[in-house]
Amino acid sequence: MKARILLLALLAAVMTYGSSCINEGFLIPVNLSINNCYLVTSTTIGLIDTSPKSFALSTLIDESFRDNIKGARYYDIRVSSTGNFTGNIVGTVSVSSPQSPTQQVLLYVGGGANNTNPVPWSTFSTPQTLLGASPYVRTSAAGVGVLVAALDRMVTDSNTSITLYVTGQTSGATSLPSGLSVCVEILGQVDARINGGDGN
Amino acid sequence: MKTSRLLVAALLTNSVCAMLALLPSLANAQTEFETTIYQFSGDAVKGYLQPAADLFGANMFAGQFRSAEIPTTGFNIAFDIVGMAALVGDDQKNYTATTPTNFTPRTFNTATIFGGTGTTVVNSSIPALSYRGPDGIINASVVPLAVPQLRVGSLYGTEAFVRFVRIPQSLTDKFPDVTLFGAGLRHSLSQYFPEIPLDVAVGVFYTTFKTGDLVDFKGYSFGLQGSKSFSLLTVYGGFAYESCTMKLQYTSTDPNVPGRLVDVSLDGQNTFRATAGAALSLGVFHIFADVNLGNVTNFSGGIGVGF
């Protein structure tokens, strides 16, 4: 009889354990990479033209996480160039969203105290990053605000999006070779809730 | 008897639960668990899952014997259900994780798979930049495991034992095939030294656990075992050296991982164990329990039938 009681107690303990071994509603930061290489379509030295690129943010993470987003953040922005060009460049990366349709400068790309002076194109053959404390990139509060707001909106709106623009000016050479690109990558994390939970 | 069957079923179910939690690829190829692991770089996954390798590894070697008495000849067979439980220490709930390249600080303390809420760390140079570690997945003070074990002997004082669990994907639509296998040999030393007042044996054991292409666990142990029987009661103990490795291979979704390919091996922390336990024999029925002390403390016990 005692053995039976002991077994029943063990059974209850084991079954209770089994129902609670996985945390309810735990958060996993899912890597988010917003990136695009903008082809320079201009053929002459001066203003450069690129096509804006829109990103539906939730499509950048695994489908299984899209309806369970509880937070988002970014932790780096990287700018790099592809293609050989002996001249210089200065420019900006701008951002907009459906909620903030006016383009706001997210990143100044260039040299000098305000990052508005032309620097050699080859400077960006190695990615210049915020985390690397690059002197050639600097964020603007207005653009960061648009970016952060869009990331925050992922919690309530799985269709939220942003559009990134690259504009700039080349100098220091007589001609602009074809095939040049400016690549922008925003690295972030999206907190996905796993295994149910109360939604907090 | 019905209660005993229910207990065994519950233990086995919890083993699956624990293995599912510890070894994320048990969930099907598209589940969040597997995708969770894919977020990690090699360094990060090592710290996050190391306690799982330690505790799961310690469990895999427990419960190999409940007596050192091995008949020299004759047919002997026993079937045991062995349950194991490894204690989750406080130091296994957090680890020092690495932040992305050039992030300041370079490391931060955050939850392991057994921890609580993940830590968010703010870049000290640019406070707008932050990075977060994942929450723990398992809320448990012990990690359980249960396996069936068949023991057959004896030939020249030697017996063999095997463990085998296969959970086919068809059993549930959530889990892919999982296979746990273990095999060992034990040989009586006391047959050569009849004057020794207790039974002594040596044993060697090899075990594997495989699920999908993500996790491949292998380990072996060898040890010295002793026991002394007093009527229905047998007191037993032993020492063993053990080694295990949990190998993880996957393509990371972390953009900071060069080549995205992660191939890491986690060595179980436990390399030596001292075992002490007792078994009660009631005819062909047996019940036993023991404690295993080493870098990881765990307990094993079970019920069996055999002669």
Side-chain angles (χ1 to χ4, degrees), chain A residues 4 7 11 14 17-18 20-23 26-31 65 73-75 78 130-132 187 189 191 194, chain B residues 4 7 14 17 21 35-36 39 100-102 123 129-132 134-140 142 144 254 256:
Chain A
R4 193 176 180 83
L7 284 173
L11 177 62
V14 165
Y17 177 86
S20 63
C21 74
I22 308 291
N23 284 327
F26 62 89
L27 295 181
I28 293 296
V30 179
N31 299 311
F65 297 126
R73 68 192 63 80
Y74 78 105
Y75 63 82
R78 301 172 177 176
L130 293 183
L131 283 181
L187 298 176
Q189 292 178 302
D191 295 337
I194 311 294
Chain B
S4 303
L7 177 60
N14 277 285
C17 174
T35 311
T36 296
Q39 305 302 314
T101 304
N102 292 323
N123 186 277
L129 307 180
S130 59
Y131 190 77
R132 188 187 193 282
D135 292 351
I137 295 177
I138 303 171
N139 175 22
V142 297
D254 184 344
N256 295 300

Side-chain angles (χ1 to χ4, degrees), chain B residues 28-29 166-178:
Chain B
N28 71 45
R166 181 172 181 272
I167 305 170
Q169 188 169 2
S170 56
L171 193 66
T172 164
D173 58 359
K174 286 189 175 181
F175 313 136
D177 285 357
V178 175

Side-chain angles (χ1 to χ4, degrees), chain B residues 238-243 269-274 292-296:
Chain B
F239 302 97
Y241 170 82
E242 63 196 44
S243 175
Q269 186 185 21
N270 218 42
T271 55
F272 175 81
R273 74 172 60 209
N292 299 274
L293 303 174
N295 288 332
V296 175

Side-chain angles (χ1 to χ4, degrees), chain B residues 241-259:
Chain B
Y241 170 82
E242 63 196 44
S243 175
C244 65
T245 300
M246 183 184 287
K247 197 171 172 60
L248 295 161
Q249 275 187 319
Y250 57 90
T251 301
S252 174
T253 58
D254 184 344
N256 295 300
V257 176

Side-chain angles (χ1 to χ4, degrees), chain A residues 74-79 91-95 104-110 112-116 128-148 164 184-187, chain B residues 123 125-129:
Chain A
Y74 78 105
Y75 63 82
D76 201 6
I77 302 177
R78 301 172 177 176
V79 178
T92 60
V93 178
S94 299
V95 61
Q104 301 288 350
V105 173
L106 173 66
L107 208 62
Y108 292 98
V109 180
N114 296 316
N115 298 91
T116 52
Q128 301 296 311
T129 71
L130 293 183
L131 283 181
S134 169
Y136 304 111
V137 293
R138 177 175 60 89
T139 55
S140 159
V144 167
V146 174
L147 172 63
V148 170
L164 295 179
V184 179
E185 183 175 25
I186 301 171
L187 298 176
Chain B
N123 186 277
S125 304
I126 308 173
L129 307 180

Side-chain angles (χ1 to χ4, degrees), chain B residues 64 161 184-187 201-205 221-225 239-240:
Chain B
Q64 293 178 43
F161 62 98
L185 286 174
R186 298 199 310 143
H187 183 71
V202 289
V204 60
F205 179 59
S221 73
F222 54 86
L224 181 68
Q225 304 157 6
F239 302 97

